[in-house]
mmCIF file of all heavy atoms in Angstrom:
data_model
loop_
_atom_site.group_PDB
_atom_site.id
_atom_site.type_symbol
_atom_site.label_atom_id
_atom_site.label_comp_id
_atom_site.label_asym_id
_atom_site.label_seq_id
_atom_site.Cartn_x
_atom_site.Cartn_y
_atom_site.Cartn_z
ATOM 1 N N LEU A 912 0.815 -1.182 0.018
ATOM 2 C CA LEU A 912 -0.012 0.011 -0.013
ATOM 3 C C LEU A 912 0.870 1.250 -0.023
ATOM 4 O O LEU A 912 0.635 2.218 -0.734
ATOM 5 C CB LEU A 912 -0.916 -0.032 1.245
ATOM 6 C CG LEU A 912 -1.813 1.268 1.426
ATOM 7 C CD1 LEU A 912 -2.825 1.336 0.327
ATOM 8 C CD2 LEU A 912 -2.459 1.161 2.837
ATOM 9 N N CYS A 913 1.915 1.230 0.838
ATOM 10 C CA CYS A 913 2.707 2.425 1.031
ATOM 11 C C CYS A 913 3.774 2.651 -0.127
ATOM 12 O O CYS A 913 3.929 3.787 -0.563
ATOM 13 C CB CYS A 913 3.442 2.313 2.363
ATOM 14 S SG CYS A 913 4.362 3.823 2.863
ATOM 15 N N TYR A 914 4.376 1.622 -0.607
ATOM 16 C CA TYR A 914 5.536 1.778 -1.408
ATOM 17 C C TYR A 914 5.315 1.361 -2.884
ATOM 18 O O TYR A 914 6.291 1.453 -3.666
ATOM 19 C CB TYR A 914 6.724 1.000 -0.809
ATOM 20 C CG TYR A 914 7.074 1.522 0.581
ATOM 21 C CD1 TYR A 914 7.003 0.664 1.669
ATOM 22 C CD2 TYR A 914 7.484 2.813 0.734
ATOM 23 C CE1 TYR A 914 7.350 1.159 2.954
ATOM 24 C CE2 TYR A 914 7.832 3.273 2.015
ATOM 25 C CZ TYR A 914 7.745 2.404 3.078
ATOM 26 O OH TYR A 914 8.067 2.945 4.355
ATOM 27 N N TYR A 915 4.205 0.843 -3.274
ATOM 28 C CA TYR A 915 4.015 0.383 -4.622
ATOM 29 C C TYR A 915 2.831 1.094 -5.264
ATOM 30 O O TYR A 915 1.874 1.542 -4.587
ATOM 31 C CB TYR A 915 3.766 -1.130 -4.675
ATOM 32 C CG TYR A 915 5.049 -1.937 -4.311
ATOM 33 C CD1 TYR A 915 5.454 -2.093 -2.986
ATOM 34 C CD2 TYR A 915 5.779 -2.601 -5.325
ATOM 35 C CE1 TYR A 915 6.585 -2.770 -2.688
ATOM 36 C CE2 TYR A 915 6.871 -3.269 -5.003
ATOM 37 C CZ TYR A 915 7.325 -3.435 -3.680
ATOM 38 O OH TYR A 915 8.431 -4.183 -3.374
ATOM 39 N N ASP A 916 2.841 1.148 -6.553
ATOM 40 C CA ASP A 916 1.766 1.847 -7.295
ATOM 41 C C ASP A 916 0.598 0.852 -7.565
ATOM 42 O O ASP A 916 0.495 0.367 -8.665
ATOM 43 C CB ASP A 916 2.347 2.398 -8.615
ATOM 44 C CG ASP A 916 1.346 3.255 -9.343
ATOM 45 O OD1 ASP A 916 0.363 3.701 -8.738
ATOM 46 O OD2 ASP A 916 1.462 3.405 -10.590
ATOM 47 N N ILE A 917 -0.129 0.607 -6.527
ATOM 48 C CA ILE A 917 -1.320 -0.279 -6.704
ATOM 49 C C ILE A 917 -2.544 0.489 -6.115
ATOM 50 O O ILE A 917 -2.412 1.225 -5.121
ATOM 51 C CB ILE A 917 -1.061 -1.568 -5.832
ATOM 52 C CG1 ILE A 917 0.202 -2.274 -6.205
ATOM 53 C CG2 ILE A 917 -2.272 -2.498 -6.003
ATOM 54 C CD1 ILE A 917 0.507 -3.482 -5.413
ATOM 55 N N GLN A 918 -3.647 0.349 -6.809
ATOM 56 C CA GLN A 918 -4.911 1.006 -6.371
ATOM 57 C C GLN A 918 -5.128 0.646 -4.907
ATOM 58 O O GLN A 918 -5.208 -0.531 -4.567
ATOM 59 C CB GLN A 918 -6.042 0.646 -7.238
ATOM 60 C CG GLN A 918 -7.326 1.358 -6.922
ATOM 61 C CD GLN A 918 -8.502 0.870 -7.764
ATOM 62 O OE1 GLN A 918 -8.356 0.026 -8.598
ATOM 63 N NE2 GLN A 918 -9.661 1.459 -7.545
ATOM 64 N N PRO A 919 -5.331 1.602 -4.008
ATOM 65 C CA PRO A 919 -5.508 1.309 -2.570
ATOM 66 C C PRO A 919 -6.675 0.317 -2.338
ATOM 67 O O PRO A 919 -6.556 -0.577 -1.473
ATOM 68 C CB PRO A 919 -5.814 2.691 -1.940
ATOM 69 C CG PRO A 919 -5.074 3.637 -2.841
ATOM 70 C CD PRO A 919 -5.207 3.082 -4.274
ATOM 71 N N SER A 920 -7.749 0.451 -3.076
ATOM 72 C CA SER A 920 -8.896 -0.413 -2.838
ATOM 73 C C SER A 920 -8.570 -1.907 -3.229
ATOM 74 O O SER A 920 -9.040 -2.797 -2.590
ATOM 75 C CB SER A 920 -10.144 0.011 -3.619
ATOM 76 O OG SER A 920 -9.868 0.128 -4.991
ATOM 77 N N VAL A 921 -7.632 -2.067 -4.184
ATOM 78 C CA VAL A 921 -7.165 -3.408 -4.589
ATOM 79 C C VAL A 921 -6.341 -4.014 -3.458
ATOM 80 O O VAL A 921 -6.498 -5.179 -3.159
ATOM 81 C CB VAL A 921 -6.457 -3.354 -5.898
ATOM 82 C CG1 VAL A 921 -5.841 -4.744 -6.218
ATOM 83 C CG2 VAL A 921 -7.379 -2.932 -7.068
ATOM 84 N N VAL A 922 -5.506 -3.229 -2.865
ATOM 85 C CA VAL A 922 -4.668 -3.708 -1.692
ATOM 86 C C VAL A 922 -5.592 -4.101 -0.577
ATOM 87 O O VAL A 922 -5.421 -5.143 0.037
ATOM 88 C CB VAL A 922 -3.724 -2.636 -1.237
ATOM 89 C CG1 VAL A 922 -2.988 -3.085 -0.013
ATOM 90 C CG2 VAL A 922 -2.729 -2.261 -2.340
ATOM 91 N N LEU A 923 -6.682 -3.321 -0.292
ATOM 92 C CA LEU A 923 -7.552 -3.613 0.801
ATOM 93 C C LEU A 923 -8.321 -4.932 0.469
ATOM 94 O O LEU A 923 -8.484 -5.793 1.365
ATOM 95 C CB LEU A 923 -8.539 -2.479 0.942
ATOM 96 C CG LEU A 923 -9.611 -2.678 2.085
ATOM 97 C CD1 LEU A 923 -8.945 -2.847 3.409
ATOM 98 C CD2 LEU A 923 -10.591 -1.535 2.108
ATOM 99 N N ILE A 924 -8.711 -5.083 -0.761
ATOM 100 C CA ILE A 924 -9.456 -6.401 -1.144
ATOM 101 C C ILE A 924 -8.550 -7.558 -0.931
ATOM 102 O O ILE A 924 -8.932 -8.571 -0.444
ATOM 103 C CB ILE A 924 -9.985 -6.258 -2.552
ATOM 104 C CG1 ILE A 924 -11.150 -5.234 -2.624
ATOM 105 C CG2 ILE A 924 -10.483 -7.624 -3.083
ATOM 106 C CD1 ILE A 924 -11.589 -4.873 -4.038
ATOM 107 N N LYS A 925 -7.292 -7.427 -1.439
ATOM 108 C CA LYS A 925 -6.340 -8.535 -1.274
ATOM 109 C C LYS A 925 -6.082 -8.878 0.175
ATOM 110 O O LYS A 925 -6.063 -10.047 0.572
ATOM 111 C CB LYS A 925 -5.018 -8.132 -1.996
ATOM 112 C CG LYS A 925 -3.905 -9.191 -1.880
ATOM 113 C CD LYS A 925 -4.305 -10.529 -2.561
ATOM 114 C CE LYS A 925 -3.141 -11.535 -2.511
ATOM 115 N NZ LYS A 925 -3.577 -12.849 -3.074
ATOM 116 N N PHE A 926 -5.932 -7.846 0.951
ATOM 117 C CA PHE A 926 -5.715 -7.985 2.409
ATOM 118 C C PHE A 926 -6.894 -8.735 3.058
ATOM 119 O O PHE A 926 -6.762 -9.704 3.810
ATOM 120 C CB PHE A 926 -5.469 -6.648 3.094
ATOM 121 C CG PHE A 926 -5.648 -6.676 4.563
ATOM 122 C CD1 PHE A 926 -4.619 -7.208 5.375
ATOM 123 C CD2 PHE A 926 -6.780 -6.185 5.192
ATOM 124 C CE1 PHE A 926 -4.782 -7.217 6.784
ATOM 125 C CE2 PHE A 926 -6.916 -6.216 6.600
ATOM 126 C CZ PHE A 926 -5.896 -6.716 7.385
ATOM 127 N N LEU A 927 -8.124 -8.232 2.733
ATOM 128 C CA LEU A 927 -9.335 -8.852 3.309
ATOM 129 C C LEU A 927 -9.518 -10.316 2.915
ATOM 130 O O LEU A 927 -9.874 -11.164 3.699
ATOM 131 C CB LEU A 927 -10.572 -8.049 2.911
ATOM 132 C CG LEU A 927 -10.685 -6.652 3.573
ATOM 133 C CD1 LEU A 927 -11.879 -5.892 2.971
ATOM 134 C CD2 LEU A 927 -10.735 -6.715 5.055
ATOM 135 N N LEU A 928 -9.204 -10.578 1.643
ATOM 136 C CA LEU A 928 -9.299 -12.000 1.137
ATOM 137 C C LEU A 928 -8.278 -12.865 1.940
ATOM 138 O O LEU A 928 -8.544 -13.988 2.310
ATOM 139 C CB LEU A 928 -9.067 -12.059 -0.345
ATOM 140 C CG LEU A 928 -10.207 -11.554 -1.250
ATOM 141 C CD1 LEU A 928 -9.740 -11.440 -2.674
ATOM 142 C CD2 LEU A 928 -11.464 -12.388 -1.141
ATOM 143 N N ASN A 929 -7.088 -12.344 2.109
ATOM 144 C CA ASN A 929 -6.074 -13.096 2.852
ATOM 145 C C ASN A 929 -6.453 -13.313 4.274
ATOM 146 O O ASN A 929 -6.238 -14.425 4.797
ATOM 147 C CB ASN A 929 -4.699 -12.318 2.787
ATOM 148 C CG ASN A 929 -4.035 -12.424 1.439
ATOM 149 O OD1 ASN A 929 -4.397 -13.220 0.623
ATOM 150 N ND2 ASN A 929 -3.045 -11.551 1.213
ATOM 151 N N VAL A 930 -7.077 -12.316 4.905
ATOM 152 C CA VAL A 930 -7.497 -12.451 6.321
ATOM 153 C C VAL A 930 -8.650 -13.435 6.409
ATOM 154 O O VAL A 930 -8.716 -14.241 7.337
ATOM 155 C CB VAL A 930 -7.874 -11.071 6.893
ATOM 156 C CG1 VAL A 930 -8.552 -11.267 8.290
ATOM 157 C CG2 VAL A 930 -6.651 -10.220 7.071
ATOM 158 N N LEU A 931 -9.589 -13.381 5.515
ATOM 159 C CA LEU A 931 -10.710 -14.337 5.497
ATOM 160 C C LEU A 931 -10.211 -15.745 5.337
ATOM 161 O O LEU A 931 -10.636 -16.662 6.034
ATOM 162 C CB LEU A 931 -11.692 -14.073 4.354
ATOM 163 C CG LEU A 931 -12.565 -12.764 4.533
ATOM 164 C CD1 LEU A 931 -13.362 -12.514 3.288
ATOM 165 C CD2 LEU A 931 -13.540 -12.982 5.733
ATOM 166 N N ASN A 932 -9.264 -15.934 4.414
ATOM 167 C CA ASN A 932 -8.633 -17.294 4.294
ATOM 168 C C ASN A 932 -7.911 -17.701 5.610
ATOM 169 O O ASN A 932 -8.005 -18.853 6.037
ATOM 170 C CB ASN A 932 -7.602 -17.253 3.157
ATOM 171 C CG ASN A 932 -8.297 -17.124 1.807
ATOM 172 O OD1 ASN A 932 -9.466 -17.388 1.656
ATOM 173 N ND2 ASN A 932 -7.526 -16.734 0.809
ATOM 174 N N PHE A 933 -7.211 -16.712 6.232
ATOM 175 C CA PHE A 933 -6.521 -17.000 7.501
ATOM 176 C C PHE A 933 -7.476 -17.437 8.555
ATOM 177 O O PHE A 933 -7.183 -18.298 9.409
ATOM 178 C CB PHE A 933 -5.758 -15.733 7.932
ATOM 179 C CG PHE A 933 -5.244 -15.775 9.357
ATOM 180 C CD1 PHE A 933 -4.096 -16.468 9.702
ATOM 181 C CD2 PHE A 933 -5.893 -15.019 10.343
ATOM 182 C CE1 PHE A 933 -3.645 -16.489 10.976
ATOM 183 C CE2 PHE A 933 -5.439 -15.074 11.627
ATOM 184 C CZ PHE A 933 -4.291 -15.781 11.906
ATOM 185 N N CYS A 934 -8.667 -16.767 8.592
ATOM 186 C CA CYS A 934 -9.697 -17.084 9.602
ATOM 187 C C CYS A 934 -10.528 -18.365 9.307
ATOM 188 O O CYS A 934 -11.448 -18.731 10.029
ATOM 189 C CB CYS A 934 -10.571 -15.907 9.867
ATOM 190 S SG CYS A 934 -9.742 -14.454 10.553
ATOM 191 N N GLY A 935 -10.270 -18.977 8.135
ATOM 192 C CA GLY A 935 -11.008 -20.132 7.770
ATOM 193 C C GLY A 935 -12.273 -19.883 6.899
ATOM 194 O O GLY A 935 -13.080 -20.781 6.690
ATOM 195 N N PHE A 936 -12.400 -18.655 6.446
ATOM 196 C CA PHE A 936 -13.593 -18.337 5.598
ATOM 197 C C PHE A 936 -13.132 -18.100 4.171
ATOM 198 O O PHE A 936 -13.134 -17.003 3.614
ATOM 199 C CB PHE A 936 -14.267 -17.065 6.126
ATOM 200 C CG PHE A 936 -14.821 -17.163 7.474
ATOM 201 C CD1 PHE A 936 -14.143 -16.569 8.610
ATOM 202 C CD2 PHE A 936 -16.000 -17.795 7.679
ATOM 203 C CE1 PHE A 936 -14.654 -16.675 9.856
ATOM 204 C CE2 PHE A 936 -16.520 -17.922 8.974
ATOM 205 C CZ PHE A 936 -15.882 -17.353 10.102
ATOM 206 N N ASN A 937 -12.745 -19.210 3.542
ATOM 207 C CA ASN A 937 -12.238 -19.138 2.162
ATOM 208 C C ASN A 937 -13.445 -19.089 1.219
ATOM 209 O O ASN A 937 -14.148 -20.073 1.003
ATOM 210 C CB ASN A 937 -11.389 -20.377 1.893
ATOM 211 C CG ASN A 937 -10.584 -20.229 0.568
ATOM 212 O OD1 ASN A 937 -10.764 -19.289 -0.140
ATOM 213 N ND2 ASN A 937 -9.695 -21.164 0.333
ATOM 214 N N LEU A 938 -13.650 -17.908 0.626
ATOM 215 C CA LEU A 938 -14.823 -17.725 -0.211
ATOM 216 C C LEU A 938 -14.706 -18.552 -1.486
ATOM 217 O O LEU A 938 -13.664 -18.578 -2.110
ATOM 218 C CB LEU A 938 -14.988 -16.251 -0.613
ATOM 219 C CG LEU A 938 -15.379 -15.243 0.458
ATOM 220 C CD1 LEU A 938 -15.410 -13.880 -0.083
ATOM 221 C CD2 LEU A 938 -16.751 -15.632 1.047
ATOM 222 N N ASN A 939 -15.833 -19.247 -1.844
ATOM 223 C CA ASN A 939 -15.847 -19.983 -3.118
ATOM 224 C C ASN A 939 -16.340 -19.005 -4.179
ATOM 225 O O ASN A 939 -17.499 -18.619 -4.210
ATOM 226 C CB ASN A 939 -16.843 -21.155 -2.926
ATOM 227 C CG ASN A 939 -16.930 -21.971 -4.202
ATOM 228 O OD1 ASN A 939 -16.304 -21.669 -5.206
ATOM 229 N ND2 ASN A 939 -17.632 -23.110 -4.147
ATOM 230 N N LEU A 940 -15.391 -18.595 -5.027
ATOM 231 C CA LEU A 940 -15.740 -17.666 -6.065
ATOM 232 C C LEU A 940 -15.974 -18.325 -7.455
ATOM 233 O O LEU A 940 -16.139 -17.655 -8.424
ATOM 234 C CB LEU A 940 -14.536 -16.639 -6.247
ATOM 235 C CG LEU A 940 -14.218 -15.854 -4.994
ATOM 236 C CD1 LEU A 940 -12.935 -15.043 -5.196
ATOM 237 C CD2 LEU A 940 -15.395 -14.889 -4.624
ATOM 238 N N GLU A 941 -16.096 -19.677 -7.411
ATOM 239 C CA GLU A 941 -16.299 -20.432 -8.622
ATOM 240 C C GLU A 941 -17.717 -20.909 -8.784
ATOM 241 O O GLU A 941 -18.286 -20.932 -9.887
ATOM 242 C CB GLU A 941 -15.384 -21.620 -8.675
ATOM 243 C CG GLU A 941 -13.848 -21.282 -8.671
ATOM 244 C CD GLU A 941 -13.446 -20.517 -9.901
ATOM 245 O OE1 GLU A 941 -14.092 -20.643 -10.939
ATOM 246 O OE2 GLU A 941 -12.437 -19.769 -9.800
ATOM 247 N N ASN A 942 -18.338 -21.324 -7.670
ATOM 248 C CA ASN A 942 -19.708 -21.902 -7.731
ATOM 249 C C ASN A 942 -20.610 -21.317 -6.750
ATOM 250 O O ASN A 942 -20.239 -20.854 -5.671
ATOM 251 C CB ASN A 942 -19.577 -23.446 -7.468
ATOM 252 C CG ASN A 942 -18.736 -24.137 -8.460
ATOM 253 O OD1 ASN A 942 -17.565 -24.336 -8.241
ATOM 254 N ND2 ASN A 942 -19.296 -24.488 -9.653
ATOM 255 N N CYS A 943 -21.915 -21.272 -7.082
ATOM 256 C CA CYS A 943 -22.899 -20.719 -6.146
ATOM 257 C C CYS A 943 -22.970 -21.601 -4.910
ATOM 258 O O CYS A 943 -22.987 -22.796 -4.923
ATOM 259 C CB CYS A 943 -24.273 -20.728 -6.848
ATOM 260 S SG CYS A 943 -25.691 -20.251 -5.762
ATOM 261 N N ALA A 944 -23.020 -20.907 -3.730
ATOM 262 C CA ALA A 944 -23.034 -21.608 -2.461
ATOM 263 C C ALA A 944 -24.387 -22.309 -2.189
ATOM 264 O O ALA A 944 -24.451 -23.228 -1.339
ATOM 265 C CB ALA A 944 -22.753 -20.653 -1.274
ATOM 266 N N SER A 945 -25.440 -21.921 -2.960
ATOM 267 C CA SER A 945 -26.740 -22.501 -2.741
ATOM 268 C C SER A 945 -26.994 -23.651 -3.693
ATOM 269 O O SER A 945 -27.348 -24.807 -3.303
ATOM 270 C CB SER A 945 -27.812 -21.435 -2.828
ATOM 271 O OG SER A 945 -27.781 -20.582 -1.752
ATOM 272 N N CYS A 946 -26.937 -23.388 -4.969
ATOM 273 C CA CYS A 946 -27.350 -24.351 -5.954
ATOM 274 C C CYS A 946 -26.193 -25.089 -6.606
ATOM 275 O O CYS A 946 -26.319 -26.059 -7.337
ATOM 276 C CB CYS A 946 -28.247 -23.764 -7.055
ATOM 277 S SG CYS A 946 -27.386 -22.532 -8.078
ATOM 278 N N GLY A 947 -24.963 -24.547 -6.440
ATOM 279 C CA GLY A 947 -23.767 -25.209 -6.937
ATOM 280 C C GLY A 947 -23.429 -24.922 -8.393
ATOM 281 O O GLY A 947 -22.408 -25.379 -8.937
ATOM 282 N N THR A 948 -24.245 -24.111 -9.108
ATOM 283 C CA THR A 948 -23.890 -23.825 -10.483
ATOM 284 C C THR A 948 -22.730 -22.908 -10.576
ATOM 285 O O THR A 948 -22.387 -22.183 -9.674
ATOM 286 C CB THR A 948 -25.128 -23.090 -11.141
ATOM 287 O OG1 THR A 948 -25.420 -21.900 -10.421
ATOM 288 C CG2 THR A 948 -26.334 -24.028 -11.192
ATOM 289 N N GLN A 949 -22.047 -22.974 -11.736
ATOM 290 C CA GLN A 949 -20.823 -22.188 -11.944
ATOM 291 C C GLN A 949 -21.217 -20.700 -11.999
ATOM 292 O O GLN A 949 -22.215 -20.345 -12.655
ATOM 293 C CB GLN A 949 -20.146 -22.562 -13.203
ATOM 294 C CG GLN A 949 -18.779 -21.877 -13.448
ATOM 295 C CD GLN A 949 -18.045 -22.409 -14.637
ATOM 296 O OE1 GLN A 949 -18.572 -23.267 -15.348
ATOM 297 N NE2 GLN A 949 -16.866 -21.876 -14.920
ATOM 298 N N LEU A 950 -20.433 -19.843 -11.407
ATOM 299 C CA LEU A 950 -20.707 -18.420 -11.382
ATOM 300 C C LEU A 950 -20.144 -17.827 -12.697
ATOM 301 O O LEU A 950 -18.964 -17.538 -12.798
ATOM 302 C CB LEU A 950 -20.016 -17.758 -10.168
ATOM 303 C CG LEU A 950 -20.563 -18.212 -8.803
ATOM 304 C CD1 LEU A 950 -19.708 -17.692 -7.675
ATOM 305 C CD2 LEU A 950 -22.040 -17.810 -8.646
ATOM 306 N N ASN A 951 -20.949 -17.644 -13.666
ATOM 307 C CA ASN A 951 -20.573 -17.104 -14.984
ATOM 308 C C ASN A 951 -21.328 -15.877 -15.385
ATOM 309 O O ASN A 951 -21.529 -15.562 -16.581
ATOM 310 C CB ASN A 951 -20.643 -18.169 -16.060
ATOM 311 C CG ASN A 951 -22.006 -18.811 -16.137
ATOM 312 O OD1 ASN A 951 -22.987 -18.286 -15.523
ATOM 313 N ND2 ASN A 951 -22.155 -19.882 -16.898
ATOM 314 N N GLY A 952 -21.853 -15.172 -14.391
ATOM 315 C CA GLY A 952 -22.595 -13.860 -14.636
ATOM 316 C C GLY A 952 -22.608 -13.086 -13.332
ATOM 317 O O GLY A 952 -21.868 -13.397 -12.388
ATOM 318 N N ASP A 953 -23.460 -12.089 -13.309
ATOM 319 C CA ASP A 953 -23.599 -11.311 -12.062
ATOM 320 C C ASP A 953 -23.976 -12.245 -10.884
ATOM 321 O O ASP A 953 -24.820 -13.168 -11.026
ATOM 322 C CB ASP A 953 -24.690 -10.258 -12.182
ATOM 323 C CG ASP A 953 -24.264 -9.126 -13.138
ATOM 324 O OD1 ASP A 953 -23.093 -9.093 -13.494
ATOM 325 O OD2 ASP A 953 -25.102 -8.235 -13.428
ATOM 326 N N ALA A 954 -23.327 -12.054 -9.741
ATOM 327 C CA ALA A 954 -23.527 -12.821 -8.592
ATOM 328 C C ALA A 954 -23.955 -11.977 -7.425
ATOM 329 O O ALA A 954 -24.325 -10.819 -7.607
ATOM 330 C CB ALA A 954 -22.268 -13.653 -8.269
ATOM 331 N N SER A 955 -23.925 -12.500 -6.235
ATOM 332 C CA SER A 955 -24.268 -11.744 -5.027
ATOM 333 C C SER A 955 -23.405 -12.224 -3.831
ATOM 334 O O SER A 955 -23.046 -13.381 -3.797
ATOM 335 C CB SER A 955 -25.760 -11.891 -4.699
ATOM 336 O OG SER A 955 -26.058 -13.204 -4.367
ATOM 337 N N ILE A 956 -23.152 -11.303 -2.932
ATOM 338 C CA ILE A 956 -22.465 -11.648 -1.657
ATOM 339 C C ILE A 956 -23.539 -11.623 -0.599
ATOM 340 O O ILE A 956 -24.172 -10.624 -0.361
ATOM 341 C CB ILE A 956 -21.375 -10.674 -1.342
ATOM 342 C CG1 ILE A 956 -20.290 -10.692 -2.472
ATOM 343 C CG2 ILE A 956 -20.736 -11.013 0.011
ATOM 344 C CD1 ILE A 956 -19.177 -9.731 -2.205
ATOM 345 N N ASP A 957 -23.775 -12.794 0.042
ATOM 346 C CA ASP A 957 -24.819 -12.907 1.109
ATOM 347 C C ASP A 957 -24.077 -12.748 2.471
ATOM 348 O O ASP A 957 -23.309 -13.557 2.828
ATOM 349 C CB ASP A 957 -25.484 -14.286 0.970
ATOM 350 C CG ASP A 957 -26.759 -14.330 1.762
ATOM 351 O OD1 ASP A 957 -26.835 -13.681 2.839
ATOM 352 O OD2 ASP A 957 -27.649 -15.109 1.381
ATOM 353 N N PHE A 958 -24.509 -11.699 3.155
ATOM 354 C CA PHE A 958 -23.909 -11.391 4.442
ATOM 355 C C PHE A 958 -24.512 -12.262 5.589
ATOM 356 O O PHE A 958 -23.950 -12.269 6.660
ATOM 357 C CB PHE A 958 -24.044 -9.942 4.777
ATOM 358 C CG PHE A 958 -23.273 -9.012 3.850
ATOM 359 C CD1 PHE A 958 -23.892 -8.304 2.883
ATOM 360 C CD2 PHE A 958 -21.869 -8.872 4.004
ATOM 361 C CE1 PHE A 958 -23.143 -7.475 2.008
ATOM 362 C CE2 PHE A 958 -21.140 -8.083 3.176
ATOM 363 C CZ PHE A 958 -21.791 -7.398 2.155
ATOM 364 N N LYS A 959 -25.616 -12.961 5.278
ATOM 365 C CA LYS A 959 -26.165 -13.777 6.343
ATOM 366 C C LYS A 959 -25.341 -14.988 6.586
ATOM 367 O O LYS A 959 -25.115 -15.430 7.724
ATOM 368 C CB LYS A 959 -27.594 -14.200 5.924
ATOM 369 C CG LYS A 959 -28.326 -14.955 7.032
ATOM 370 C CD LYS A 959 -29.791 -15.207 6.614
ATOM 371 C CE LYS A 959 -30.553 -15.918 7.717
ATOM 372 N NZ LYS A 959 -31.975 -16.162 7.340
#
């Protein structure tokens, strides 16, 4: 974030994804968590 030319929001997203993985919440970005179909269009993040 401090020393490289990277969009700050991208650094934050990378950090949050790393922390989620560290805490055991590895998001499945390939398939729908409900029906299992491949995510090949607009999707949604369910906070519940």
